[in-house]
Amino acid sequence: MKNLLFFCLSLALFTGFTGHAQAPKENINKMLEAWHDAAARADYDDYFSKMADESIFIGTDPTENWEKDEFAKWSKPYFDKGKAWSFSTLERNIFLQEDCDIAWFDELLETQMGICRGSGVVAKEDGEWKVKHYVLSIEIPNENVDQITEIKKDFDQKLISKIKSE
């Protein structure tokens, strides 16, 4: 039995089985790092080239749910001023679909807003990984939730009323 296990492990290592999912994860990680870096460098074209044409960016404000063109238009003045935003990755988890054409991820980021969480979906298009869906949220420690809930109570009530009346 030990010989069979050794043979299977050796075969897996020899054929590259264990590295099959690693290469796409490394490529996705590099693309996401380059995407965040493009924003930090205020490189508008590079940043938006890493997003699929049909993509969504959901920001920290509950009204921020943008298709790519809307998000690009909204953010252009920040890029033009040479100061977009700067996100440094603290940790990232990447999960792949079996055929490796779609992956999803979550990440903790150090930002000008403190610690934020990003999560999203990337897809391979014409051989390149592209961001299809991204959600950015500000992380709030559990012990501060009551304070934050009180701070945003009026805003939330107005937005809830508006959404329900539409």
Side-chain angles (χ1 to χ4, degrees), residues 107-145:
E107 57 188 4
L108 274 183
L109 304 165
E110 182 178 1
T111 78
Q112 65 274 11
M113 299 174 282
I115 295 176
C116 287
R117 179 170 306 281
S119 61
V121 175
V122 294
K124 205 171 207 181
E125 295 184 355
D126 298 322
E128 291 185 45
W129 289 101
K130 301 277 186 171
V131 175
K132 293 284 286 181
H133 192 268
Y134 190 76
V135 179
L136 180 67
S137 57
I138 298 173
E139 295 300 276
I140 301 168
N142 288 333
E143 60 265 19
N144 300 120
V145 169

Side-chain angles (χ1 to χ4, degrees), residues 92-103:
R92 178 177 293 130
N93 299 297
I94 300 171
F95 308 91
L96 289 166
Q97 183 184 15
E98 277 188 41
D99 66 7
C100 296
D101 287 339
I102 294 177

